[in-house]
């Protein structure tokens, strides 16, 4: 059955009615899930299997049958491990029906159907009894309900219910316990993802509103591959501390709680950020440990496991606090059933635990309008300097300037270099309110006028009966996911043509799409076939993921922040097509085809795509590749944007002879649809 879905097209800004298969949503969920990543996580899988074997052995040594409850079974892998380890029976619970169906097929393919029952329900809906889903209560509880924050997927309520309703009075748990760690640091780089810094102009400084500086920020955790931070990106103000533990072999509570830890600061600095991660012990003795700690905490002899389904956490304190070396402090983790957040105080002289602090929420609007990469981009002084230099080249004291970008500082730069009139378009009332506060704080509310209309609805009356002589933008739009989605600026320029002077300057002048063939160090795992996992046949998952990718995304890329995912350049950067913003959007398709020669040996996993904007003839800014190491091919990427990644369906292994290898490409930009379709063929 086909259904019509209304979607805002991020490139054109129009609402498109798209005919979709009724199974579109679950295909997309599978395609973008971490199933392949988890199946490739050898460290995780081995530790789980060791823990399961130990738990089954402990139950058998008591003379009991080993009855397993596996919550969130996914592929059924952990249940099959349990049966292999000697479990008598397994109840495998999976709420997502396509995955539950896949688990049934995988269990059948591995000949475990007589000992594993897959239950397609939420664990809180499962019943026990002759007419229930489970014939008896279990005595081994196996779960993989964790996310980067440990409890963000509702692990605690699920544990609490299962232990009360589905488990015997004595049970073994795999994992046995979890431990949350934290470290207090000063980091201008990380802090720039949370607060707007003052922007220095020639004769003045743009200051953020006071309520923005005192705002506790976004409520969601910032998950990141901390191993990719440079050692100089932060200064440790504390040692790594154990914050709290959860023992899954005992009754778990999902009630809100606070976990204070007193410590002595190891150096002076500005307390801004809490770095956090967790590990799990698979057995009571803690001899089987699976850790999420960043790479710098491993010894040089220990291999660092890579995973994307579990990363590390960055928590921002509500406000920066100065601390002195040797100062006694208290770091408190506050936790409800889904989230964790932190506060820093002086140790309380009173006995008892500190009062529970309510979950932080943005009060200033900035953390709702701007995500963390956007904060970082706005705080990028070098980038802002390029825009300012470019604006000085095109603006005059008589310029009527219109900015088309979401929540941009470019209008402030335009005013600072002397434009006579400055207007800016904001896409929402919330963004308008935020920018009004910013302008008011800097006494610019009367100097910069906000228009809350779509560009095609703007008239000369909105512009004071003037025509625009300088159309400017970054471009940046909150709805954009892939680099070319910001071509919305081009469509806006076309819609504004009648309101522009014949010699209107446009900044940026153009955008050029570039691409690069790469070898990923680890990211390839998220889209790589598994075949078998720890000896079990999981080819059905490969079929599902491939089908899901083919369902809609066979000609599309997916967004990833590549500064977190190291890769090597196997080709030279290749210019694909240029979009000239000085002209209106064409009616005919734009096509590019050719081949990229591969110049380095390696394993070619796919192609990276990004935009470079030409502000003026001699000033450009990139949203992608910044440099390539000539010797190693290691890439440095712009960290405040996501790049587009097209993964090949099959690996191209160049060995030591890349000279005759290439990647053939065909790209078509459909102006009417605002759609970029692509096809790549690796050739060896």
């Amino acid at each position: 059955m086909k259904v019509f879905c209304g979607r805002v097209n991020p490139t054109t800004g129009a609402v498109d009615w798209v005919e979709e298969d009724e199974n579109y949503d679950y295909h997309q969920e599978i395609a973008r899930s971490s199933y392949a990543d988890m199946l490739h996580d050898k460290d995780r899988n081995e530790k789980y299997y060791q823990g399961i074997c130990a738990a089954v052995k402990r139950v058998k040594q008591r003379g009991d049958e080993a009855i397993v409850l596996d919550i969130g079974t996914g592929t059924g892998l952990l249940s099959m491990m349990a049966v292999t380890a000697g479990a008598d029976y397994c109840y495998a619970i999976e709420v997502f029906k396509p995955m539950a169906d896949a688990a049934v097929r995988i269990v059948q393919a591995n000949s475990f159907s007589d000992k594993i029952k897959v239950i397609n329900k939420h664990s809180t809906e499962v019943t026990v009894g002759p007419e229930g889903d489970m014939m008896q209560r279990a005595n081994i509880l196996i779960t993989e309900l964790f996310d980067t924050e440990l409890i963000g997927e509702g692990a605690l309520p699920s544990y609490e219910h299962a232990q009360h309703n589905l488990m015997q009075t004595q049970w073994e748990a795999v994992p046995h316990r979890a431990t949350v760690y934290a470290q207090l640091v000063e980091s201008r780089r990380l802090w720039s993802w949370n607060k707007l810094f003052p922007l220095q102009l020639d004769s003045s400084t743009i200051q953020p509103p006071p309520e923005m500086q005192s705002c506790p920020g976004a409520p969601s955790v910032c998950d990141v591959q901390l191993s990719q931070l440079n050692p100089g990106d932060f200064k440790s103000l504390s040692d790594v501390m154990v914050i709290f533990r959860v023992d899954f072999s005992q009754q778990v509570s999902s009630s809100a709680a606070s976990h204070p830890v007193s410590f002595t600061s190891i150096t002076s600095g500005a307390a801004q950020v809490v770095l956090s991660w967790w590990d799990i012990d698979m057995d009571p003795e803690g001899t089987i440990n699976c850790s999420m700690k960043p790479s710098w905490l491993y010894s040089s002899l220990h291999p660092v496991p890579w995973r994307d389904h579990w990363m590390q956490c960055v928590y921002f304190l509500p406000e920066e606090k100065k601390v002195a070396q040797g100062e006694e402090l208290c770091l408190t983790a506050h936790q409800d059933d889904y989230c964790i957040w932190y506060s820093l105080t002086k140790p309380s002289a009173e006995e008892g635990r500190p009062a529970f602090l309510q979950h932080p929420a943005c009060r200033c609007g900035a953390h709702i309008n701007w995500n963390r990469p956007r904060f970082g981009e706005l705080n990028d002084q070098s980038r802002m300097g390029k825009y300012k230099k470019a604006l000085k080249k095109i603006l005059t004291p008589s310029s009527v300037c219109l900015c088309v970008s979401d929540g941009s500082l470019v209008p402030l730069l335009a005013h600072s270099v002397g434009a006579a009139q400055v207007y800016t378009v904001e896409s929402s009332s919330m963004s308008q309110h935020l920018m009004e506060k910013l302008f008011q704080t800097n006494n610019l509310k009367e100097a910069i006028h906000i228009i809350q209309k779509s560009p095609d609805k703007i008239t000369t009356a909105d512009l004071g009966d003037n025509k625009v002589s300088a159309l400017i933008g970054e471009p940046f739009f909150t709805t954009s996911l892939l680099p070319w989605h910001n071509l919305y600026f081009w469509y806006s320029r076309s819609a504004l043509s009648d309101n522009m002077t014949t010699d209107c300057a446009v900044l940026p002048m153009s955008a050029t799409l570039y691409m690069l063939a790469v070898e990923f160090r680890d990211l390839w795992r998220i889209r790589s076939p598994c075949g078998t996992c720890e000896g079990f046949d999981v080819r059905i998952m490969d079929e599902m993921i491939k089908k899901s990718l083919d369902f809609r995304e066979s000609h599309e890329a997916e967004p990833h922040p590549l500064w977190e995912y190291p890769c090597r350049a196997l080709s030279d950067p290749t210019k694909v097509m240029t979009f000239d913003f000085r002209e209106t959007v064409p009616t005919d398709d734009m096509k590019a085809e050719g081949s990229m020669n591969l110049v380095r040996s390696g394993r070619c996993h796919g192609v990276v795509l990004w935009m470079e904007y030409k502000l003026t003839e001699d000033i450009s800014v990139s949203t992608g590749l910044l440099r390539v190491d000539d010797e190693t091919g290691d890439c440095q990427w712009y960290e405040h944007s996501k790049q587009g990644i097209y993964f090949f369906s099959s690996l191209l292994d160049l060995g030591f002879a890349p000279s005759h290898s290439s990647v053939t490409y065909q790209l078509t930009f459909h102006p009417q649809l605002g759609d970029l379709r692509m096809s790549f063929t690796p050739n060896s």
Side-chain angles (χ1 to χ4, degrees), residues 4-9 14-20 24-25 552:
F4 285 92
C5 302
R7 292 190 174 88
V8 176
N9 186 312
V15 176
D16 297 336
W17 289 95
V18 183
E19 187 180 27
E20 301 286 11
Y24 170 75
D25 287 337
R552 178 173 175 135

Side-chain angles (χ1 to χ4, degrees), residues 333-364:
H334 306 275
Q335 160 247 310
D336 59 19
D337 51 352
Y338 281 90
C339 301
I340 298 171
W341 58 101
Y342 285 86
S343 62
L344 181 67
T345 59
K346 295 280 189 180
S348 175
E350 301 176 2
E351 294 185 1
R353 304 177 73 81
F356 181 76
L357 181 71
Q358 290 297 318
H359 193 285
C362 176
R363 300 190 299 263
C364 71

Side-chain angles (χ1 to χ4, degrees), residues 515-558:
M515 64 184 182
L516 182 74
V518 300
E519 174 188 55
F520 287 110
R521 183 193 299 173
D522 296 296
L523 188 64
W524 59 270
R525 302 173 196 272
I526 69 172
R527 295 291 177 261
S528 178
C530 301
T532 60
C533 180
E534 305 306 317
F536 300 106
D537 182 356
V538 293
R539 286 175 296 178
I540 290 164
M541 277 308 303
D542 294 340
E543 296 171 11
M544 291 183 67
I545 292 172
K546 185 179 186 303
K547 182 179 179 181
S548 296
L549 290 170
D550 289 345
F551 187 76
R552 178 173 175 135
E553 301 191 346
S554 57
H555 299 288
E556 295 183 2
E558 53 188 85

Side-chain angles (χ1 to χ4, degrees), residues 438-544:
L438 180 61
F439 298 159
Q440 185 173 17
T441 299
N442 293 278
N443 299 313
L444 295 173
K445 193 170 182 181
E446 302 302 321
I448 303 176
H449 308 281
I450 299 176
I451 303 173
Q452 196 204 326
K453 285 185 176 181
S454 60
D456 61 315
K457 298 293 194 299
I458 292 176
T459 65
T460 53
D462 298 311
L463 302 166
D465 293 326
N466 295 303
K467 287 203 170 187
V468 177
S469 60
L471 180 68
I472 62 176
E474 299 185 54
F476 170 83
F477 302 99
T478 56
T479 54
S480 299
L481 293 175
L482 289 160
W484 43 93
H485 288 166
N486 285 321
L487 289 176
Y488 178 66
F489 179 82
W490 199 15
Y491 288 81
S492 299
R493 177 258 181 271
S494 299
L496 288 162
S497 292
D498 292 342
N499 295 312
M500 297 164 58
T501 61
T502 54
D503 60 347
C504 180
V506 181
L507 183 156
M509 300 166 55
S510 63
T512 298
L513 179 67
Y514 282 84
M515 64 184 182
L516 182 74
V518 300
E519 174 188 55
F520 287 110
R521 183 193 299 173
D522 296 296
L523 188 64
W524 59 270
R525 302 173 196 272
I526 69 172
R527 295 291 177 261
S528 178
C530 301
T532 60
C533 180
E534 305 306 317
F536 300 106
D537 182 356
V538 293
R539 286 175 296 178
I540 290 164
M541 277 308 303
D542 294 340
E543 296 171 11
M544 291 183 67

